[in-house]
């Protein structure tokens, strides 16, 4: 006889229902809205002036090459495509530095996989370690930390009213952090606020992180979409130069437009060679236990692009086109309404508007404007033609309808 109190039924009855992911739910909500003038400012994907999330030209060309030249789909190992990882290194760490012996990288399923692997590595080294997280942050950060067994301590990152970083609060938090604590840093294009540290602030952060013995975990998911490829890595490079150990979770989903191909990498930086070896072996063992080997396609495509001078130049040019388009929407929004003026000084796809959850849902029901419940907009969902439409809906919501 199966004991119903201890068998699988009782086991699963212990589960608590989980709400669908609020951000990803916007994809189908938007799709099912029949209104022709609807605006999708929800999930963070780039869109061109025609509202399309394109396959990049260099990516299409690399896919053709891959189709013609790939002779085998045999396993590569838990590290994935090391040609891809090596080709990324100078982009992340700088052409001259290139990473050096201290840097080890593995391919991961997207930036999310890189973050999860980083957190499992930390938890294996120090179970229940504490991660300092400025809020608001990407809604998946805290769940990833928790799923890996880490604890999260928060501080207030952003003042929605002034649209600026609360740097004093960040400093107060870091000065409270204890040696061995982890600090999550958005490398560029902060998600969801668009508010990044200045270079001087990065220098201060690098100094405090090094002086207090904290471990920087840098989430670099939008390189090239803020101020440019080099500029967007400058903060991360300052921190790495100041510390002995760091982790960098990298995503190619946005800057290569490879979203659903789940393409990323985890880079570990350890100045001490013995520690670098120890970390390396643990990263590989954890990758093996998680996904055994990462999906190949996106990494192979990015490698082909980066190893071919003409394709790499095409990729850089198209990335720059995307960056410039988003920046022009940013300026147009700031020009359209003084309440959006702060957006001018921010970077990347996102800004967090001073709207309540009720106003967000009103904008959706009354104006067919889809944005995250937090008030985050994806600026890439707007065009020169739709900025005024959005600005008008925003003003109507704030002034009349919901004053
Ligand atoms: C976003 O923040 O919209 C993207 O990073 C998509 C995601 O996975 O949440």
């Amino acid at each position: 006889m199966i004991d119903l109190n201890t068998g699988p039924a009782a086991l699963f009855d212990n589960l608590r229902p989980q709400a669908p992911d609020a951000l990803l739910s916007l994809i189908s909500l938007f799709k099912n809205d029949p209104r022709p003038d609807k605006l999708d400012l929800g999930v963070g994907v780039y869109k061109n002036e025609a509202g399309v999330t394109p396959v990049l030209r260099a990516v299409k060309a690399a896919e053709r090459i891959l189709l013609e030249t790939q002779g085998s789909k045999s396993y590569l190992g838990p590290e994935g495509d090391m040609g891809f990882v090596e080709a990324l290194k100078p982009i992340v760490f700088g052409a001259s530095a290139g990473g050096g012996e201290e840097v080890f990288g593995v391919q991961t399923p997207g930036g999310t996989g890189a973050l999860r692997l980083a957190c499992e590595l930390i938890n294996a080294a120090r179970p229940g370690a504490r991660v300092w997280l400025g809020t608001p942050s990407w809604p998946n950060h805290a769940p990833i930390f928790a799923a890996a067994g880490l604890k999260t301590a928060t501080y207030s990152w952003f003042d929605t009213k002034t649209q600026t970083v609360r740097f004093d609060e960040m400093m107060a938090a870091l000065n409270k952090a204890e040696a061995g604590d982890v600090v999550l840093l958005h490398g560029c294009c902060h998600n969801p606020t668009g508010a990044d540290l200045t270079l001087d602030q990065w220098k201060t952060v690098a100094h405090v992180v090094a002086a207090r013995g904290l471990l920087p975990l840098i989430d670099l998911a939008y390189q090239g979409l803020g101020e440019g490829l080099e500029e967007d890595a400058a903060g991360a490079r300052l921190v790495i130069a100041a510390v002995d150990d760091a982790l960098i979770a990298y995503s190619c989903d946005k800057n290569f437009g490879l979203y659903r191909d789940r393409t990323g990498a985890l880079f570990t930086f350890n100045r001490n060679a013995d520690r670098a070896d120890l970390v390396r072996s643990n990263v590989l063992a954890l990758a093996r236990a998680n996904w055994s080997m990462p999906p190949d396609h996106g990494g192979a495509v990015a490698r082909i692009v980066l190893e071919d001078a003409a394709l790499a130049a095409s990729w850089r040019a198209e990335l720059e086109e995307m960056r410039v388009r988003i920046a022009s929407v940013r300026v147009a929004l700031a020009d359209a309404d003084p309440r959006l003026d702060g957006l001018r000084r921010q970077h990347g796809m996102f800004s967090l508007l001073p709207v309540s959850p009720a106003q967000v849902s009103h904008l959706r029901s009354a104006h067919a404007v889809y944005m995250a419940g937090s008030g985050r907009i994806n600026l890439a969902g707007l065009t020169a033609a739709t900025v005024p439409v959005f600005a008008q809906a925003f003003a109507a919501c704030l002034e009349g309808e919901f004053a």
Side-chain angles (χ1 to χ4, degrees):
M1 266 300 271
I2 297 169
D3 181 349
L4 289 177
N5 292 316
T6 56
L11 179 93
F12 289 122
D13 286 347
N14 282 330
L15 292 172
R16 271 179 282 155
Q18 303 287 322
D21 185 275
L23 184 63
L24 300 185
S25 302
L26 291 175
I27 297 173
S28 53
L29 278 179
F30 179 80
K31 202 166 148 221
N32 296 333
D33 187 331
R35 290 173 286 183
D37 52 354
K38 58 188 176 178
L39 290 177
D40 179 12
L41 315 185
V43 179
V45 296
Y46 175 78
K47 291 174 193 221
N48 62 20
E49 277 278 329
V52 174
T53 302
V55 179
L56 270 55
R57 296 184 287 268
V59 164
K60 261 284 183 240
E63 284 181 318
R64 282 190 204 102
I65 293 171
L66 187 64
L67 181 67
E68 292 305 322
T69 60
Q70 191 175 50
S72 171
K73 288 189 183 286
S74 177
Y75 294 129
L76 287 179
E79 64 274 37
D81 185 333
M82 288 309 266
F84 157 71
V85 173
E86 288 304 315
L88 266 187
K89 275 188 187 173
I91 292 175
V92 179
F93 296 93
S96 52
E101 285 298 299
E102 303 99 334
V103 175
F104 170 66
V106 292
Q107 188 188 342
T108 56
T112 302
L115 282 166
R116 180 65 186 253
L117 191 55
C119 291
E120 293 205 359
L121 178 73
I122 295 163
N123 198 56
R126 176 177 294 207
R130 181 165 62 167
V131 188
W132 289 87
L133 180 68
T135 58
S137 197
W138 182 47
N140 214 15
H141 274 142
I144 291 171
F145 302 161
L150 303 178
K151 294 192 182 67
T152 302
T154 60
Y155 62 89
S156 173
W157 162 263
F158 189 64
D159 183 339
T160 314
K161 216 164 150 212
T162 60
Q163 290 285 310
T164 53
V165 175
R166 294 185 197 264
F167 192 61
D168 290 351
E169 302 240 3
M170 182 185 195
M171 280 299 107
L174 297 194
N175 281 309
K176 260 197 309 211
E178 288 165 14
D181 280 359
V182 182
V183 185
L184 187 282
L185 299 166
H186 293 236
C188 64
C189 307
H190 186 275
N191 182 2
T193 68
D196 289 334
L197 298 175
T198 64
L199 273 187
D200 278 344
Q201 288 172 331
W202 272 111
K203 280 182 198 155
T204 308
V205 168
H207 173 77
V208 174
V209 164
R212 296 191 68 79
L214 313 178
L215 175 70
L217 168 55
I218 304 172
D219 187 353
L220 193 51
Y222 296 88
Q223 191 185 2
L225 289 168
E227 293 185 282
L229 272 174
E230 285 296 297
E231 294 85 344
D232 291 350
R237 291 178 194 169
L238 278 172
V239 173
I240 290 161
V243 298
D244 286 340
D245 305 277
L247 297 172
I248 300 99
Y250 195 86
S251 174
C252 295
D253 294 353
K254 326 279 172 166
N255 58 4
F256 280 84
L258 284 165
Y259 309 94
R260 71 174 75 148
D261 286 331
R262 312 307 302 132
T263 311
L266 173 66
F267 291 101
T268 60
F269 174 83
N270 301 97
R271 271 187 212 283
N272 177 289
D274 291 338
R275 201 180 312 133
D277 280 347
L278 197 56
V279 165
R280 182 174 173 278
S281 68
N282 275 272
V283 164
L284 292 173
L286 288 166
R288 171 71 166 146
N290 266 296
W291 42 75
S292 188
M293 282 156 253
D296 179 68
H297 183 80
V301 164
R303 169 177 49 76
I304 291 170
V305 169
L306 292 174
E307 286 178 347
D308 180 297
L311 289 182
S314 160
W315 168 65
R316 282 173 185 266
E318 196 165 0
L319 178 59
E320 184 63 7
E321 276 171 37
M322 297 195 287
R323 187 188 77 75
V324 167
R325 197 187 94 65
I326 298 171
S328 75
V329 169
R330 204 167 261 299
V331 173
L333 275 175
D335 287 346
D337 191 315
R339 286 164 296 200
L340 299 175
D341 192 61
L343 274 60
R344 212 185 288 283
R345 291 175 289 281
Q346 299 166 357
H347 305 114
M349 283 187 185
F350 305 121
S351 281
L352 189 70
L353 304 189
V355 286
S356 66
Q359 287 171 323
V360 169
S361 89
H362 176 77
L363 279 164
R364 185 155 77 218
S365 54
H367 298 279
V369 172
Y370 283 74
M371 56 203 275
S374 61
R376 186 191 81 172
I377 56 167
N378 171 16
L379 284 86
L382 290 168
T383 64
T386 58
V387 162
V389 178
F390 172 76
Q392 213 168 19
F394 173 74
C397 181
L398 257 65
E399 286 156 21
E401 299 161 5
F402 249 94

